[in-house]
């Protein structure tokens, strides 16, 4: 083929037009002597151009022709150009699979398997494949026969003779025949072993479900019984040798390559368990030890090789247990957790290309379908199918899934499986990653019929189908619940009330009847509100089910919707602001406190949709808002009511941010640094209470004295308030100090100060819809017996003459919070020498502090409380850590400026930096303190009232666990971890505080 230099031949141009990417190389191949008789045949060029990869197809054809016997070569070429069926099949395979091109180059006569098909050849089953493999006597001949059969399956697939489901079924049937052939070879090699036992091979996974890939592990389970009077142990040993040999025949690599790995890790106890068991041993394991996922796996169990009667007995025996799995505690949670774990274990650089395991991938379809099968298959045998698509069809026919949803799921699953097939077919390698190379993407797109812009088209189609799967995966389990109660679409088969209740119960709803009533109230009717609710609820129900108390979440959502449903911004917020709906679901289903705060003023839900809404407001910002509101109010009572409303709103903001930070969302994972969460809550609640007290103080003074009180007045925060470590249920520990203004009588000043305190406390505790703020002044000099308010001089006189060491210790937390800033600073100057004494503490003072601590441990622990789980007074709890840190502050604060702080964690870090405590000990104490604080916060969030111990009720205990990051069913791990962490902290306390 000669051309004028500088000009391209017409063949070159035609090759480009037919889809060749390297036309020059293709032109050279066509010029080879092997293709001399057909190089100008237009039919051949058209057929090559119709393949997924014309360049690959041409290279494969040249290799095949050159490998064929010269006497047979012309017959191959003549048949190729004259017989369209062969041309389409052979070139289709060569253009889609480099691996099968290699096989044909090694075994050129196998092209004849594609020449013509009888009717039976169009849809072969196990019998036909067994016939094809029947002459195999060893692993190599079995591999050759297997690849010949695979060649025919691939030809039917790429030519569209079979669809993706039929191809998967044929691959499973070929696997069945191969396992039988391999077992026959193993039995022939060890006739003595074969005589001792009955061995059955149970297919699991995709092979069991009749939906195998081109390249996949073939999951199996082996069950065996002795023959007649054979000893059981000898029979099991013989069966184990046969099973292991069968696995090697299929899995090992020889000169003819490998078939596929046979994986028996789904057996009881996995790879740690015996390879072969008797039927009774299998049943004993499943009845006593099996986990939820093992019953889910057994959905696809199918006897495929060996003793057919034993295989049937196995399936018949385990089947009832499979369909009772949904009755297990935490069933749905276990299944969903396993799915999340699969996604979490995908390497970050692969998750976006994972077509099987990634979000919106094949596993999402399979998990959703299997979950529905296990829930509703208890009472509906039509759902008892190992095939994903057959089960999906049965779910739609039974009304468990909407027909439109089922059709979309079916379409997306078929497309993703077709992608997976074509990706694996290219090199016959086990992979589920969408390729990144453009040539691979181009071949993939063209193999699926995309010819205009295959790379762009395949990416768009893949993303579209994955998006459908993600949406339906979230929706599939919940949408029919709404259809069951909304009753809008005429003629649509719906879940019965009984089936809907079964599904809700499986999801973890304790009162499914009430849940259905809530769904009906929210979604029935033709109003715009009901229509939007029907859109939102499927996803919300999934989020509720992922919590410790789905019932509370749904009830709370109904209450909020009843209160705000007629306001246009509310439903628009949930519909359009992606984070708002998920945030609301998390908040409503995590416990009582946050929903109670929200339901007192539901408009606060707007906070959840604002990107900045969950960030705590600064104290200055809040103080400006509060003082401005007080200035506008008519009297002190209405002013403090507004102030308490601001406090309630900000408490909701803080609880919501804490819950969402602890649980995480789809877009933002949980905050990994628990200390950050604790500090955020402590600072936010402390600032909020300080501003609330400042607002109440301004309101009381303004009503009775105008702008100026007769005495300067300051509120000093103590305890956790002064330490910026308040929890949700903490009182505000304070001291009140005043100093009469110049010319004001001391008695008049004292009366004014006491009036202010009494009125502030009254107004902040009035019964209203807003939570009260309890002001506790019991840490004042002389305790409850002493005056509520003292002058600065009185404090000075008392502390110089009467102060005890515990009072100096308490003053370590003192910090001005409201009122006269100058007076507050003067109070701090007064007490600094007491709390940070020069030269530190004497031995007597240290002994006294230790004695007080020991006495508190023995006398103040509530009767019957478990000291290993009491967060405040228990072993290694808050008191242990704080007293240890405070002793260091009093001993060394005079010389170490970093220790002069009211905050426990800051002081501990400063002590470590000053080498007063080792880094390891400091870390141990900090970890225990943070954990104990989080437990107290969790209990308040869950129960709505404070407590220093873990709740006893299982639902509340589970909710505390979820807040702390433990999945359902792992509260035992939570308690064990708490005991372990605090036990280590107590060992440090014994050494650092008690000097043991």
């Amino acid at each position: 083929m000669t051309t004028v230099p500088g000009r391209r031949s017409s063949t070159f141009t035609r090759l480009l037009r037919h889809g060749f990417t390297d036309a020059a190389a293709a032109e050279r191949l066509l010029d080879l002597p092997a293709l001399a008789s057909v190089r100008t045949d237009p039919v051949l060029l058209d057929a090559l151009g119709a393949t997924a990869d014309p360049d690959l197809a041409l290279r494969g054809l040249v290799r095949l022709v050159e490998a064929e016997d010269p006497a047979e070569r012309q017959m191959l070429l003549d048949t190729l150009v004259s017989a369209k069926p062969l041309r389409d099949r052979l070139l289709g395979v060569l253009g889609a699979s480099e691996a099968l091109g290699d096989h044909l180059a090694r075994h050129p006569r196998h092209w004849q398997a594609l020449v013509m098909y009888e009717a039976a050849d169009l849809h072969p089953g196990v019998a036909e494949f067994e016939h094809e493999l029947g002459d195999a006597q060893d692993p190599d001949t079995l591999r050759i026969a297997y690849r010949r059969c695979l060649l025919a399956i691939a030809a039917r697939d790429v030519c569209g003779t079979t669809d993706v489901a039929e191809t998967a079924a044929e691959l499973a049937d070929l696997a069945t025949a191969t396992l039988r052939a391999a077992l026959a070879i193993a039995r022939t090699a060890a006739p003595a072993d074969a005589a001792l036992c009955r061995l059955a091979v149970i297919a699991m996974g995709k092979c069991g479900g009749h939906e195998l890939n081109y390249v996949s592990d073939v999951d199996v389970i082996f069950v065996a019984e002795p023959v007649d009077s054979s000893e059981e142990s000898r029979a099991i040993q013989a069966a184990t040798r046969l099973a292991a040999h069968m696995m090697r025949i299929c899995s090992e690599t020889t000169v003819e390559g490998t078939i596929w790995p046979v994986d028996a890790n789904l057996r009881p106890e996995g790879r740690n368990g015996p390879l072969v068991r008797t039927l009774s041993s299998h049943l004993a394991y499943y009845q006593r030890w099996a986990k939820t996922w093992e019953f889910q796996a057994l959905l696809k169990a199918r006897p495929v090789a060996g003793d057919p009667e034993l295989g049937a007995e196995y399936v018949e025996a385990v089947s009832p247990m499979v369909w009772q799995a949904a009755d297990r505690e935490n069933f749905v949670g276990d299944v969903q957790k396993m799915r999340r774990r699969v996604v979490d274990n995908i390497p970050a650089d692969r998750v976006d290309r994972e077509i099987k395991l990634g979000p919106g991938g094949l596993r999402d379809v399979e998990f959703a379908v299997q979950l529905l099968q296990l829930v509703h298959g208890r009472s509906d045998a039509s759902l008892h199918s190992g095939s994903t698509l057959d089960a999906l069809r049965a779910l739609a026919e039974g009304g468990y899934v909407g027909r439109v949803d089922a059709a979309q799921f079916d379409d997306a699953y078929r497309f993703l499986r077709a992608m997976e097939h074509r990706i694996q077919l290219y090199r016959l390698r086990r992979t589920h990653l969408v390729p990144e190379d453009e040539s691979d993407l181009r071949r993939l797109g063209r193999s699926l019929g995309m010819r205009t812009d295959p790379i762009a088209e395949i990416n768009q189609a893949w993303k579209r189908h994955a998006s459908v799967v993600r949406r339906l995966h979230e929706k599939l389990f919940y949408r029919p619940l709404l259809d069951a109660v909304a009753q809008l679409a005429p003629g649509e088969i719906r879940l019965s009330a009984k089936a809907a209740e079964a599904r809700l119960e499986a999801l973890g709803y304790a009162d499914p009847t009430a849940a259905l009533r809530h769904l009906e109230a929210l979604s029935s009717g033709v109003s715009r509100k009901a229509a939007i609710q029907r859109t939102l609820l499927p996803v919300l129900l999934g989020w509720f089910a992922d919590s410790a108390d789905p019932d509370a979440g749904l009830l709370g959502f109904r209450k909020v919707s009843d209160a705000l449903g007629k306001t246009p911004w509310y439903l628009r917020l949930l519909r359009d602001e992606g984070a708002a709906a998920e945030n609301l679901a998390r908040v409503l289903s995590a416990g009582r406190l946050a929903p109670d705060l929200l339901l007192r003023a539901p408009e606060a839900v707007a906070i959840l949709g604002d990107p900045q809404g969950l960030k705590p407001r600064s104290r200055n910002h809040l103080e400006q808002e509060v003082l401005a509101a007080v200035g506008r109010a008519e009297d002190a009572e209405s002013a403090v009511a507004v102030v308490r409303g601001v406090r309630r709103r900000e408490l909701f903001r803080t609880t919501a941010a804490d819950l969402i930070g602890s649980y995480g969302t789809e877009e933002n994972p949980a905050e990994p640094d628990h200390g950050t969460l604790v500090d955020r809550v402590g600072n936010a609640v402390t600032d909020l209470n300080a501003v609330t007290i400042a607002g109440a103080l301004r309101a009381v003074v303004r009503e009775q004295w105008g702008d100026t009180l007769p005495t300067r007045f300051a509120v000093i925060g103590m305890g956790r308030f002064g330490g910026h470590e308040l929890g949700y249920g903490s009182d505000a520990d304070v001291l009140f100090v005043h100093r009469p203004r110049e010319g004001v009588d001391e008695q008049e000043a004292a009366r004014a100060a006491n009036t202010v305190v009494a009125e502030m406390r009254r107004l902040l505790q009035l019964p209203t819809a807003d939570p009260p703020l309890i002001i506790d002044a019991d840490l004042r000099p002389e305790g409850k017996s002493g005056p509520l308010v003292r002058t600065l001089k009185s404090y000075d006189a008392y502390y110089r003459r009467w102060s005890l060491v515990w009072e100096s210790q308490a003053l370590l937390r003192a910090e001005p919070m409201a009122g006269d800033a100058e007076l507050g600073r003067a109070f701090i100057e007064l007490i600094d020498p007491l709390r940070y004494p020069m030269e530190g503490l004497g031995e007597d003072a240290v002994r006294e502090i230790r004695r007080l601590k020991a006495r508190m441990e023995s006398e103040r622990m509530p009767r019957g409380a478990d000291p290993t789980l009491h967060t405040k007074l228990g072993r290694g709890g808050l008191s242990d850590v704080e007293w240890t840190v405070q002793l260091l502050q009093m001993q060394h604060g005079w010389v170490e400026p970093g220790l002069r702080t009211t905050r426990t964690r800051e002081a501990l870090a400063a002590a470590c930096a000053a080498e007063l405590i080792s880094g390891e000990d400091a870390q141990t104490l900090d970890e225990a303190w943070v954990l104990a604080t989080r437990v107290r916060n969790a209990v308040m969030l869950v129960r709505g009232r404070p407590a220093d111990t873990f709740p006893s009720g299982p639902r509340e205990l589970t909710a505390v666990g979820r807040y702390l990051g433990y999945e359902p069913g792992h509260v035992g791990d939570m308690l064990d971890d708490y005991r372990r962490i605090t036990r280590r902290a107590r060992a440090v306390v014994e050494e650092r505080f008690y000097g043991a």
Side-chain angles (χ1 to χ4, degrees), residues 146-480:
Y146 174 83
R147 286 292 172 92
R148 180 185 172 101
C149 292
L150 195 65
L151 181 67
I153 292 175
R156 287 188 290 272
D157 179 14
V158 297
C159 291
T161 305
T162 54
D163 65 19
V164 67
E166 291 168 331
T167 300
E170 288 186 15
L171 289 166
D173 285 340
L174 175 57
T176 297
T178 304
L179 289 171
R180 292 178 182 179
L183 183 56
I185 293 171
R187 290 170 66 90
T188 301
D193 284 343
L196 285 174
C197 63
R198 300 166 60 205
L199 174 64
V201 183
I202 311 298
M204 305 286 284
K206 281 187 162 49
C207 185
H210 226 226
E211 49 191 19
L212 198 59
N213 303 329
Y214 276 103
V215 186
S216 174
D217 289 357
V218 171
D219 297 308
V220 299
I221 285 176
F222 297 105
V223 58
E225 295 290 342
V227 170
D228 299 331
S229 58
S230 301
E231 184 183 342
E232 183 177 295
S233 61
R234 290 187 62 212
I236 294 301
Q237 290 170 5
T240 301
R241 288 190 291 269
L242 290 173
H245 190 188
M246 186 203 83
M247 293 174 69
R248 289 196 303 274
I249 290 170
C250 297
S251 305
E252 287 181 347
T253 301
T254 72
V255 293
E256 289 296 337
T258 185
I259 300 177
W260 19 245
V262 178
D263 188 340
N265 288 336
L266 291 178
R267 66 187 184 269
E269 300 181 76
R271 65 184 63 210
N272 296 319
L275 182 63
V276 182
R277 290 175 182 256
T278 63
L279 179 55
S280 60
S281 176
H282 277 283
L283 296 181
Y285 173 84
Y286 288 126
Q287 288 163 353
R288 187 170 184 184
W289 302 111
K291 296 180 174 62
T292 298
W293 70 264
E294 293 178 276
F295 294 111
Q296 184 180 355
L298 285 169
L299 260 176
K300 296 183 178 294
R302 180 172 64 94
V304 291
D307 191 298
E309 291 182 3
L310 181 57
E313 288 175 31
Y314 174 89
V315 171
E316 184 178 356
V318 300
S319 183
M321 288 186 274
V322 172
W323 303 111
Q324 293 164 8
D327 296 328
R328 295 163 64 93
E329 186 178 359
N330 296 321
F331 161 71
V332 171
D334 285 345
V335 175
Q336 292 172 334
K337 181 173 66 179
M338 183 178 173
R339 174 67 189 120
R340 286 194 296 270
R341 189 184 301 130
V342 167
V343 175
D344 292 343
N345 288 335
I346 303 172
D349 61 338
R350 294 187 172 194
V351 68
D352 291 335
R353 297 192 293 126
E354 252 289 353
I355 199 170
K356 176 182 178 182
L357 303 178
L362 292 162
R363 191 57 59 88
D364 273 351
V365 182
E366 293 157 1
F367 263 71
V369 170
Q370 290 166 20
L371 197 57
L372 290 170
Q373 282 182 273
L374 289 169
V375 170
H376 298 294
R378 292 175 291 181
S379 57
D380 188 345
S382 71
L383 304 181
H384 295 188
S385 171
S387 161
T388 301
L389 292 176
D390 288 348
L392 182 58
R393 190 178 309 112
L395 286 165
E397 290 172 355
Y400 304 106
V401 174
R403 292 186 186 279
V404 173
D405 288 346
Q408 290 180 337
F409 229 8
D410 182 284
D411 185 48
Y413 186 72
R414 287 174 183 273
F415 179 82
L416 295 174
R417 284 302 303 271
M419 277 187 72
E420 182 185 43
H421 278 185
R422 296 295 197 274
I423 291 169
Q424 293 185 348
L425 182 59
Y426 174 48
R427 287 201 171 100
L428 288 181
R429 291 179 182 171
R430 183 180 179 226
T431 178
H432 308 287
L433 292 177
V434 176
E436 294 179 293
D437 183 78
E438 286 196 358
S439 62
D440 291 333
L441 283 171
R442 181 174 181 272
R443 180 190 316 106
L444 177 60
R446 284 175 59 92
S447 75
L448 295 173
M450 302 169 185
R451 298 302 169 93
T452 305
D453 186 354
I455 295 176
E457 290 176 56
I458 188 64
N459 279 320
Q460 290 170 3
W462 169 39
K463 298 299 183 186
R464 183 177 71 251
H465 284 292
S467 175
V468 168
V469 169
R470 286 201 72 180
R471 177 176 59 81
L472 291 178
H473 176 70
E474 296 167 341
K475 173 184 175 184
L476 199 63
F477 207 81
Y478 312 107
R479 180 80 225 183

Side-chain angles (χ1 to χ4, degrees), residues 51-54 56-58 90-98 426 443 447:
T51 65
D53 187 339
L56 179 64
L58 179 56
L90 178 58
L91 296 183
V93 168
L94 291 173
S97 178
E98 185 177 69
Y426 174 48
R443 180 190 316 106
S447 75

Side-chain angles (χ1 to χ4, degrees), residues 672-684:
D673 185 352
H674 295 161
T676 296
L677 289 171
V678 165
D679 292 343
R680 194 179 296 157
V681 171
N683 286 324

Side-chain angles (χ1 to χ4, degrees), residues 730-784:
S730 304
D731 296 343
D733 292 317
V734 300
L735 297 178
F736 297 111
V737 58
H738 77 105
R739 182 164 61 190
R741 295 185 185 277
E742 188 174 343
V744 176
D745 179 72
E746 287 197 10
Q747 290 187 342
E748 179 188 350
R751 281 196 300 272
N754 278 285
T755 299
V756 166
V757 169
E759 187 64 2
M760 281 173 57
R761 297 178 82 180
R762 183 186 74 83
L763 291 173
L764 289 172
Q765 296 178 44
L766 277 177
T768 70
D770 297 314
L773 174 56
I774 307 299
I775 295 180
D776 187 341
D778 289 352
L779 291 176
R780 65 187 184 271
E782 303 178 75
K784 293 181 180 179

